Amino acid sequence: MEHIRTPKVENVRLVDRVSPKKAALGTLYLTATHVIFVENSPDTRKETWILHSQISTIEKQATTATGCPLLIRCKNFQIIQLIIPQERDCHDVYISLIRLARPVKYEELYCFSFNPMLDKEEREQGWVLIDLSEEYKRMGLPNHYWQLSDVNRDYRVCDSYPTELYVPKSATAHIIVGSSKFRSRRRFPVLSYYYKDNHASICRSSQPLSGFSARCLEDEQMLQAIRKANPGSDFVYVVDTRPKLNAMANRAAGKGYENEDNYSNIKFQFIGIENIHVMRNSLQKMLEVCELKSPSMSDFLWGLENSGWLRHIKAIMDAGIFIAKAVSEEGASVLVHCSDGWDRTAQVCSVASLLLDPHYRTLKGFMVLIEKDWISFGHKFNHRYGNLDGDPKEISPVIDQFIECVWQLMEQFPCAFEFNERFLIHIQHHIYSCQFGNFLCNSQKERRELKIQERTYSLWAHLWKNRADYLNPLFRADHSQTQGTLHLPTTPCNFMYKFWSGMYNRFEKGMQPRQSVTDYLMAVKEETQQLEEELEALEERLEKIQNVQLNCTKVKSKQSEPSKHSGFSTSDNSIANTPQDYSGNMKSFPSRSPSQGDEDSALILTQDNLKSSDPDLSANSDQESGVEDLSCRSPSGGEHAPSEDSGKDRDSDEAVFLTA
Amino acid sequence: MEFAELIKTPRVDNVVLHRPFYPAVEGTLCLTGHHLILSSRQDNTEELWLLHSNIDAIDKRFVGSVGTIIIKCKDFRIIQLDIPGMEECLNIASSIEALSTLDSITLMYPFFYRPMFEVIEDGWHSFLPEQGFELCSSATSEWRLSYVNKEFAVCPSYPPIVTVPKSIDDEALRKVATFRHGGRFPVLSYYHKKNGMVIMRSGQPLTGTNGRRCKEDEKLINATLRAGKRGYIIDTRSLNVAQQTRAKGGGFEQEAHYPQWRRIHKSIERYHILQESLIKLVEACNDQTHNMDRWLSKLEASNWLTHIKEILTTACLAAQCIDREGASILIHGTEGTDSTLQVTSLAQIILEPRSRTIRGFEALIEREWLQAGHPFQQRCAQSAYCNTKQKWEAPVFLLFLDCVWQILRQFPCSFEFNENFLIMLFEHAYASQFGTFLGNNESERCKLKLQQKTMSLWSWVNQPSELSKFTNPLFEANNLVIWPSVAPQSLPLWEGIFLRWNRSSKYLDEAYEEMVNIIEYNKELQAKVNILRRQLAELETEDGMQESP
């Protein structure tokens, strides 16, 4: 690779984030796709793999006596600190990574070299796993009110929209084209979700080019058509998800929002979700808080508040709740837009759909939802998540926020989702990893041109194959929480929204609950299934023997070895004792707490084996004898591709109980 | 005194009750000596049955001739009664006020309560100090039980029986008692079987400004060290605060006089600072009008989670000294009845698997809180809504329970009890029909003859029917030391207690139920499979016997 100035640096130290005095010595490798750190320690040879596409920032810090520190922040919230002995090497690594982390051509991305050893047929099957035509059929379309339009065939009307679009039956091609000319980037109103029960729908578009007084007959007819497609209601909500001030400012640029006087029977509503720049800064501020070394409770809470992150999450949720209520309770259709209708609109439509339709709360349904509201409707993945080198001002955690909204809902409705937290975390990871082709480019058009489906693999198939890892044990298809609309309390509940440490501090394993209820229950359920099978087999045999005995014939049957059902352990523990230097000076009291270093498998991503008391396996740790080694029932189906995991390292985490 | 004197209006009709999660209901309000009862008129069912002692504060207001009484409970619940008639309302309000602030302990409900269940095991005898000592004496002979405090003469806040180093005689203990705050000489709190290290606790040494010392005290403490070993003294006050107490005769161990000990100061807040923290927190939780930012800043300003973090950190430090450093420790603050007990009991939760079982946790509360003389009567007299701020009111025990919940949340499979168990203990510490949490120490409880006159909480809790509500279905004995994270990201607000009345727990309860069902079904299947296996084995042996000649 021409961009790699130095492929290998020895005697590099990987600094432990929690206790900076501890560092692992090893060798750093740069490959075309990954940064790899391999520890020297012969018994572990632990490897840390970081995809170039996950690298968010690289920071060269002031050289110290020990070497030249390099700080790598990743888009999946991992932070890696390396100390490279030679300034020159450090510079080379730095320059190489700067280039490698910012590919300029799609072909440089990992998905074009990633090969999971599937044949062509399997790959093709993977791409058809999620089928949007099927999804519209599931919604009950086409029907008396809605039809599939071919107006955007070959992306003739709107190049950021998909070709397959549902519009009201009464909306003629003339109306559509007319309306598209009156909308930013020609993103005219189309159907996002159809609520079978009462014919209400959620439609989406971009802002109208209304300026101070412009109007467009076709656009007005388009909204009429949407209203008429819902015979149960005599008005349509138009939800502008922007703060009113932002929308008004747009009028000066010839854009803006719908004038209630021009459109008959609309109810116009601002929601007030901030723009991508505010969100980017907000996340930045929150991550700074997460990065603080041993922050006080006040530092943390104050920083969290100051970041505004949870306020933004709440705003998105509020918008989704408003729309879900309008649809399910008022039976009114809703047209949602923001400016271009590909960020906030996507967030809000998908949150509302998730609240309304239990299908989207299943594994496959959730994939469909992302495929529909995000991928097909031209959410600009490439720009927002910086897959290719581009304008940093375009980058914003738009889908991250949606994923967090889902997590917040999962916390409120623990039985309502078929998938678990790990599923969300892995989707977030792969939005940035560029390992699969799903999230490449900014639109369907671009993806087709790049022939993504012929050249890369689909994440959905990959997740589906490993679905056992992603199931929520509390989900039951016949449970009341899995039926119908999710009803959130009407009173404002700020305390409902919580900091998601499982996402933003996910590489600090010690901060997470050390035992996973999900994994425990999954293990119980797995055993239950085995027991059911065994029970059946036993009953059969018993019956047979009884029959045989009745007939007084002698049949010899062999008793099978009863399988032993030991407890389910969620922890893989053994305590290692690391006696500390016990000198008289009080300051020499160990500034480290008993650590809980996971000698985590290579499977950070798929197998977050949560361990209870984990050993600190530092080189000279003396293993305590006689401690029960509770073996771990690890979730099945780990992914072993090194590319998959961003950290093969043992996450050691030590809470520092003693403050300096 | 007759309760009747305090009850001016025993009964009012057409009272409307508003409370969280239920529609308003109209009924008849009755006041008895210990309860406020509202029965709805439809079918005469009791809608509300509230102990007067659970009432923390009341507000009243009038709209026309309808008076409204807002009752704020010690468990943070707020209920509202609309009472027709101004006079009735005033009478009810003043009666509630009087009945909820009775001066005499012997007028409290536990002295009148007659259990409706059969007592299988008398909780008053469930956790005897001798039994606790057996656990320690089976491993070592370095400790003995001392009856020096039999008449509560040496230390009024200690129980009659304490565990002390074998080499220290009662005479020496008496001398040490004069050198320690409240006579609280160092006693054994916990013996770590794994390495023989111990946690001791005491009151502060009374060194005063002129550096008074006490040879017996030094000897006692050193007697707990193995040859050549050193120990740590964890002072739960900052150095500054500890220094200030010297002016009032208190102080801390001078290194020169305790050369084998290293002193560590940790700052855990006390008294009104904690009480104010609780008041602010509950106020923040009840404020539904503010926006997201105000919520977080109010949560932050309450400092509640800061206290949680401080206490847990100190407990982890103590446990770390014991388990990782192999060093014994002595813990004290000023009196040794509050932060000291938080730290000693939490360290045991971390170190000792037994204290994570139901019985073990009950024993821990009995030993480290009740016997150890945490003044429950004073601390839990009022809760988050009190207006009359008394210096000795403080949610010390609630903070402890919150810390236990934090560890439980991080290790959801390592505790035999569930969150409901902790909530139940919180409720009973503040208002109860049982005598367990009455009085400030063992001496007071003896004088009140609680064992004879009241029922123990443990008698009720330990019935199988009650226990099942408090048992954690996920529990798997974990014999290891469990090290919780004390990072702010790992310490959330305990919603189960602070948001209990502000948000419906319906969906969370359903999830809990689902979890129980999954585990119960598994157990059921296991039992069935085992029976079949046995049957099959029997049949097959018969078979074999028939076959053999």
Side-chain angles (χ1 to χ4, degrees):
Chain A
M1 275 287 293
E2 70 244 279
H3 309 303
I4 300 172
R5 289 183 168 207
T6 172
K8 177 178 171 186
V9 187
E10 283 179 341
N11 295 320
V12 171
R13 266 166 309 149
L14 178 68
V15 179
D16 191 307
R17 290 283 304 157
V18 183
S19 51
K21 278 181 197 149
K22 222 171 74 178
L25 198 65
T27 306
L28 186 74
Y29 298 92
L30 295 192
T31 75
T33 51
H34 288 86
V35 183
I36 307 161
F37 178 83
V38 183
E39 273 185 33
N40 287 350
S41 169
D43 33 301
T44 54
R45 299 290 295 172
K46 209 181 60 185
E47 297 169 16
T48 306
W49 291 61
I50 300 153
L51 262 170
H52 295 327
S53 50
Q54 284 290 2
I55 296 176
S56 168
T57 62
I58 314 153
E59 201 181 302
K60 227 170 85 178
Q61 294 169 321
T63 311
T64 64
T66 49
C68 200
L70 199 64
L71 190 69
I72 304 174
R73 289 192 182 83
C74 298
K75 295 167 181 174
N76 59 3
F77 313 116
Q78 187 172 22
I79 299 174
I80 299 277
Q81 193 177 2
L82 299 167
I83 298 179
I84 298 171
Q86 299 295 322
E87 217 278 308
R88 222 197 115 72
D89 288 334
C90 183
H91 187 70
D92 282 346
V93 169
Y94 175 74
I95 294 293
S96 308
L97 285 181
I98 289 257
R99 175 61 189 82
L100 291 166
R102 292 174 197 163
V104 292
K105 303 197 298 283
Y106 280 117
E107 282 70 16
E108 288 179 45
L109 294 175
Y110 183 42
C111 56
F112 292 99
S113 57
F114 171 65
N115 184 359
M117 304 297 180
L118 296 177
D119 57 33
K120 184 161 168 281
E121 200 181 322
E122 282 172 298
R123 178 169 69 195
E124 281 165 5
Q125 273 172 2
W127 280 111
V128 296
L129 179 74
I130 299 304
D131 181 356
L132 286 187
S133 327
E134 280 300 312
E135 170 57 14
Y136 287 110
K137 236 179 258 167
R138 189 194 66 85
M139 285 184 203
L141 301 178
N143 65 6
H144 186 59
Y145 304 106
W146 293 89
Q147 65 181 5
L148 181 63
S149 164
D150 66 348
V151 71
N152 202 35
R153 172 175 77 237
D154 302 325
Y155 310 102
R156 281 186 309 198
V157 177
C158 173
D159 61 0
S160 60
Y161 265 177
T163 50
E164 190 179 4
L165 288 167
Y166 277 85
V167 292
K169 245 190 183 154
S170 59
T172 60
H174 172 74
I175 291 177
I176 293 172
V177 173
S179 166
S180 78
K181 287 179 181 154
F182 190 64
R183 295 272 168 182
S184 272
R185 308 197 188 254
R186 313 192 73 178
R187 292 171 67 94
F188 56 92
V190 294
L191 182 106
S192 163
Y193 179 70
Y194 176 74
Y195 192 62
K196 257 196 296 230
D197 299 17
N198 62 9
H199 305 297
S201 63
I202 302 174
C203 297
R204 57 185 290 171
S205 71
S206 59
Q207 65 187 337
L209 304 176
S210 50
F212 290 103
S213 58
R215 50 190 292 190
C216 166
L217 185 62
E218 290 86 353
D219 195 60
E220 288 158 25
Q221 286 171 333
M222 186 74 193
L223 264 68
Q224 280 286 16
I226 291 172
R227 183 180 65 76
K228 282 192 209 134
N230 176 14
S233 176
D234 50 14
F235 69 94
V236 177
Y237 274 112
V238 176
V239 171
D240 189 328
T241 58
R242 298 169 292 184
K244 189 173 183 184
L245 199 67
N246 301 22
M248 282 167 70
N250 264 299
R251 287 166 69 184
K255 301 166 190 172
Y257 52 92
E258 291 81 357
N259 183 340
E260 269 183 319
D261 299 339
N262 298 342
Y263 294 83
S264 51
N265 307 314
I266 66 162
K267 286 192 183 175
F268 189 84
Q269 181 86 32
F270 284 113
I271 295 271
I273 302 173
E274 297 291 348
N275 65 27
I276 58 167
H277 312 293
V278 174
M279 300 306 193
R280 180 179 57 244
N281 292 335
S282 172
L283 177 66
Q284 181 57 37
K285 280 188 190 161
M286 186 175 71
L287 291 180
E288 279 163 20
V289 175
C290 298
E291 241 187 82
L292 289 175
K293 276 177 191 150
S294 46
S296 72
M297 190 53 86
S298 293
D299 291 340
F300 174 73
L301 290 175
W302 189 86
L304 184 62
E305 179 197 324
N306 192 44
S307 77
W309 181 258
L310 289 175
R311 177 161 48 91
H312 300 314
I313 294 294
K314 182 174 184 291
I316 297 164
M317 287 296 304
D318 285 348
I321 294 166
F322 174 86
I323 293 164
K325 281 208 160 99
V327 168
S328 69
E329 289 170 21
E330 293 184 67
S333 291
V334 184
L335 171 66
V336 186
H337 70 73
C338 44
S339 297
D340 291 316
W342 49 40
D343 293 317
R344 287 169 275 203
T345 299
Q347 288 175 330
V348 167
C349 287
S350 45
V351 168
S353 304
L354 200 69
L355 290 170
L356 286 168
D357 195 331
H359 178 65
Y360 297 128
R361 297 173 228 140
T362 63
L363 264 172
K364 223 174 201 167
F366 190 68
M367 298 178 190
V368 166
L369 185 64
I370 291 185
E371 190 72 34
K372 174 171 71 72
D373 280 339
W374 297 81
I375 298 175
S376 88
F377 278 113
H379 176 64
K380 302 199 295 173
F381 282 92
N382 176 36
H383 285 166
R384 294 292 174 264
Y385 312 114
N387 297 340
L388 293 187
D389 192 22
D391 182 359
K393 287 212 158 60
E394 284 281 327
I395 291 175
S396 188
V398 182
I399 201 167
D400 300 64
Q401 289 183 315
F402 166 62
I403 290 173
E404 175 164 339
C405 286
V406 181
W407 177 80
Q408 300 280 2
L409 280 171
M410 278 162 63
E411 286 286 291
Q412 299 299 313
F413 300 93
C415 303
F417 293 82
E418 192 190 10
F419 46 86
N420 58 30
E421 179 183 14
R422 194 178 304 153
F423 185 60
L424 298 179
I425 289 173
H426 287 194
I427 290 176
Q428 192 272 352
H429 173 88
H430 284 298
I431 283 165
Y432 292 94
S433 77
C434 299
Q435 184 176 341
F436 298 92
N438 306 60
F439 306 116
L440 248 48
C441 306
N442 292 321
S443 67
Q444 190 182 70
K445 181 167 178 264
E446 284 182 36
R447 277 187 294 274
R448 293 221 170 137
E449 280 164 7
L450 257 183
K451 299 198 190 324
I452 291 291
Q453 300 206 358
E454 286 132 73
R455 298 164 71 193
T456 73
Y457 295 86
S458 168
L459 170 67
W460 304 136
H462 174 79
L463 293 176
W464 185 247
K465 200 178 79 196
N466 298 305
R467 59 189 174 279
D469 288 345
Y470 302 123
L471 290 175
N472 170 13
L474 296 174
F475 178 84
R476 191 155 46 78
D478 54 355
H479 194 279
S480 61
Q481 283 186 35
T482 61
Q483 318 298 316
T485 310
L486 289 184
H487 292 288
L488 287 154
T490 38
T491 48
C493 290
N494 302 300
F495 43 70
M496 232 181 75
Y497 302 103
K498 295 174 285 193
F499 172 73
W500 188 7
S501 77
M503 176 61 96
Y504 304 105
N505 283 113
R506 77 184 173 96
F507 287 91
E508 274 90 38
K509 285 284 186 295
M511 286 186 191
Q512 315 306 328
R514 244 54 71 75
Q515 293 172 322
S516 156
V517 174
T518 298
D519 289 347
Y520 179 91
L521 290 177
M522 281 316 288
V524 172
K525 282 185 110 172
E526 203 179 297
E527 197 202 52
T528 298
Q529 207 183 340
Q530 287 165 9
L531 284 170
E532 276 172 342
E533 284 162 17
E534 190 182 350
L535 191 66
E536 206 176 307
L538 283 172
E539 274 168 348
E540 219 170 84
R541 252 177 47 211
L542 205 58
E543 201 177 334
K544 218 185 259 170
I545 289 177
Q546 279 164 341
N547 285 341
V548 167
Q549 284 190 337
L550 280 177
N551 296 339
C552 286
T553 46
K554 294 171 185 175
V555 176
K556 211 173 171 183
S557 75
K558 215 172 185 179
Q559 194 197 339
S560 73
E561 193 58 35
S563 68
K564 196 169 164 270
H565 296 288
S566 55
F568 310 94
S569 166
T570 49
S571 44
D572 183 0
N573 321 315
S574 56
I575 284 195
N577 240 347
T578 1
Q580 301 294 322
D581 176 31
Y582 203 19
S583 66
N585 184 350
M586 200 189 127
K587 284 198 177 108
S588 78
F589 194 88
S591 64
R592 2 179 336 222
S593 80
S595 81
Q596 327 253 337
D598 279 16
E599 82 274 49
D600 211 339
S601 52
L603 311 167
I604 294 284
L605 265 176
T606 32
Q607 268 180 256
D608 291 332
N609 296 347
L610 298 177
K611 303 179 176 181
S612 80
S613 269
D614 292 315
D616 173 4
L617 295 170
S618 63
N620 54 355
S621 65
D622 84 8
Q623 285 279 342
E624 185 172 342
S625 55
V627 170
E628 212 178 330
D629 181 22
L630 302 167
S631 68
C632 175
R633 283 177 168 245
S634 63
S636 55
E639 299 162 87
H640 289 268
S643 46
E644 187 70 26
D645 43 273
S646 35
K648 278 195 165 187
D649 58 324
R650 143 166 60 106
D651 298 299
S652 73
D653 40 79
E654 306 178 358
V656 179
F657 297 127
L658 259 183
T659 46
Chain B
M1 186 189 66
E2 290 288 322
F3 290 121
E5 288 170 24
L6 298 174
I7 304 171
K8 293 174 193 157
T9 304
R11 191 192 144 113
V12 189
D13 287 327
N14 303 326
V15 173
V16 180
L17 165 71
H18 306 264
R19 67 197 147 147
F21 316 127
Y22 292 95
V25 60
E26 194 183 321
T28 302
L29 180 73
C30 297
L31 289 188
T32 73
H34 294 105
H35 287 97
L36 180 154
I37 304 157
L38 189 123
S39 357
S40 74
R41 280 195 300 186
Q42 285 85 14
D43 41 8
N44 260 349
T45 50
E46 270 112 31
E47 299 285 347
L48 181 73
W49 189 278
L50 185 74
L51 259 181
H52 292 315
S53 57
N54 191 3
I55 296 172
D56 203 27
I58 63 168
D59 290 339
K60 39 184 190 290
R61 58 169 192 252
F62 294 92
V63 179
S65 66
V66 175
T68 292
I69 302 180
I70 294 166
I71 299 177
K72 299 175 177 175
C73 302
K74 289 177 185 165
D75 61 12
F76 311 139
R77 181 173 26 160
I78 295 179
I79 55 181
Q80 182 185 327
L81 296 169
D82 297 340
I83 300 171
M86 192 176 293
E87 196 189 328
E88 282 86 350
C89 182
L90 285 170
N91 283 346
I92 294 284
S94 68
S95 299
I96 294 174
E97 229 156 329
L99 290 165
S100 61
T101 51
L102 293 175
D103 283 331
S104 167
I105 294 183
T106 53
L107 288 177
M108 304 281 271
Y109 187 49
F111 288 92
F112 298 83
Y113 170 72
R114 292 292 161 262
M116 302 292 281
F117 59 90
E118 196 195 338
V119 178
I120 305 161
E121 179 196 337
D122 185 354
W124 289 118
H125 305 299
S126 292
F127 308 99
L128 301 174
E130 290 89 345
Q131 289 166 359
F133 181 68
E134 266 167 40
L135 293 167
C136 160
S137 61
S138 65
T140 173
S141 57
E142 292 160 336
W143 298 83
R144 69 178 181 98
L145 286 180
S146 166
Y147 299 83
V148 68
N149 199 38
K150 207 163 49 196
E151 312 293 335
F152 305 105
V154 178
C155 171
S157 63
Y158 269 176
I161 310 172
V162 289
T163 309
V164 295
K166 199 167 209 172
S167 57
I168 306 298
D169 61 23
D170 284 357
E171 201 38 51
L173 294 177
R174 283 194 189 93
K175 280 190 184 140
V176 176
T178 62
F179 181 66
R180 291 276 171 180
H181 193 115
R184 293 175 71 92
F185 54 89
V187 295
L188 181 80
S189 160
Y190 171 65
Y191 180 84
H192 196 46
K193 262 193 181 158
K194 206 167 89 183
N195 59 9
M197 295 302 128
V198 296
I199 300 177
M200 287 179 299
R201 52 177 157 75
S202 68
Q204 66 177 344
L206 302 174
T207 57
T209 38
N210 48 9
R212 207 178 131 217
R213 61 189 285 195
C214 170
K215 291 276 182 212
E216 288 78 6
D217 188 74
E218 291 158 25
K219 196 178 157 214
L220 189 163
I221 295 179
N222 286 337
T224 65
L225 291 179
R226 300 263 165 88
K229 284 276 203 174
R230 315 179 71 150
Y232 287 91
I233 295 170
I234 298 179
D235 192 323
T236 60
R237 306 162 295 182
S238 69
L239 180 61
N240 207 5
V241 171
Q243 274 165 346
Q244 282 165 11
T245 60
R246 287 195 296 199
K248 291 181 232 152
F252 50 86
E253 294 81 357
Q254 292 294 328
E255 306 216 341
H257 302 155
Y258 299 85
Q260 286 159 284
W261 294 81
R262 187 120 339 277
R263 215 177 57 245
I264 302 172
H265 289 274
K266 301 292 289 181
S267 166
I268 298 180
E269 288 296 349
R270 323 162 58 225
Y271 294 140
H272 67 279
I273 292 181
L274 300 180
Q275 189 73 6
E276 272 160 28
S277 172
L278 176 68
I279 292 169
K280 279 189 194 160
L281 175 66
V282 171
E283 194 187 294
C285 293
N286 286 337
D287 180 357
Q288 310 228 334
T289 57
H290 53 70
N291 59 30
M292 196 65 190
D293 291 354
R294 290 264 313 277
W295 157 244
L296 284 173
S297 65
K298 282 193 154 193
L299 179 63
E300 192 266 317
S302 80
N303 270 329
W304 183 263
L305 291 170
T306 301
H307 301 312
I308 294 290
K309 185 168 150 64
E310 275 168 5
I311 296 164
L312 261 181
T313 305
T314 311
C316 287
L317 172 72
Q320 184 188 5
C321 290
I322 296 281
D323 190 67
R324 291 302 167 104
E325 292 300 302
S328 287
I329 50 172
L330 167 67
I331 302 174
H332 67 73
T334 302
E335 292 91 344
T337 55
D338 295 284
S339 56
T340 303
L341 304 182
Q342 288 172 332
V343 174
T344 58
S345 51
L346 286 168
Q348 293 179 53
I349 298 274
I350 294 166
L351 292 168
E352 175 56 59
R354 201 183 314 110
S355 62
R356 294 173 226 142
T357 64
I358 291 179
R359 281 300 275 218
F361 191 69
E362 290 171 357
L364 184 78
I365 286 177
E366 189 69 38
R367 197 174 64 240
E368 289 301 307
W369 290 87
L370 293 161
Q371 300 281 326
H374 174 66
F376 277 98
Q377 191 73 41
Q378 290 182 346
R379 298 288 180 266
C380 302
Q382 300 271 258
S383 175
Y385 302 116
C386 68
N387 305 314
T388 54
K389 281 174 194 155
Q390 300 286 358
K391 164 180 164 0
W392 54 77
E393 286 154 7
V396 176
F397 187 61
L398 177 58
L399 279 161
F400 160 72
L401 293 175
D402 194 334
C403 289
V404 176
W405 178 80
Q406 300 285 352
I407 307 177
L408 168 63
R409 198 191 73 91
Q410 295 187 27
F411 294 90
C413 307
S414 298
F415 287 79
E416 193 189 5
F417 50 87
N418 60 19
E419 178 180 1
N420 293 334
F421 190 62
L422 300 174
I423 296 174
M424 179 274 295
L425 289 170
F426 157 70
E427 289 176 338
H428 284 280
Y430 281 83
S432 177
Q433 66 268 46
F434 302 107
T436 298
F437 292 108
L438 291 183
N440 290 309
N441 50 51
E442 205 49 24
S443 159
E444 288 188 21
R445 279 187 280 271
C446 272
K447 280 185 204 118
L448 289 166
K449 296 198 167 56
L450 292 181
Q451 294 206 9
Q452 293 80 40
K453 294 186 170 169
T454 73
M455 180 64 53
S456 161
L457 172 66
W458 312 130
S459 304
W460 171 71
V461 169
N462 287 336
Q463 304 173 93
S465 58
E466 295 302 319
L467 272 184
S468 64
K469 292 179 217 158
F470 303 127
T471 309
N472 177 9
L474 299 169
F475 177 59
E476 292 267 324
N478 174 357
N479 287 321
L480 300 168
V481 176
I482 53 177
W483 300 105
S485 161
V486 295
Q489 289 97 319
S490 313
L491 303 174
L493 176 71
W494 185 8
E495 295 183 22
I497 215 143
F498 295 109
L499 301 178
R500 187 175 170 199
W501 311 106
N502 303 327
R503 58 126 173 82
S504 158
S505 62
K506 177 171 176 268
Y507 301 114
L508 303 179
D509 295 344
E510 282 174 3
Y512 184 84
E513 214 172 286
E514 193 64 25
M515 194 168 81
V516 172
N517 289 342
I518 290 170
I519 291 164
E520 287 299 312
Y521 178 56
N522 177 279
K523 284 186 183 150
E524 221 171 89
L525 277 180
Q526 252 174 47
K528 270 189 200 161
V529 165
N530 286 340
I531 291 170
L532 284 187
R533 275 189 199 142
R534 220 173 304 133
Q535 277 183 8
L536 205 60
E538 275 164 22
L539 281 175
E540 279 165 347
T541 7
E542 272 171 41
D543 235 18
M545 274 158 51
Q546 283 171 12
E547 217 175 84
S548 58

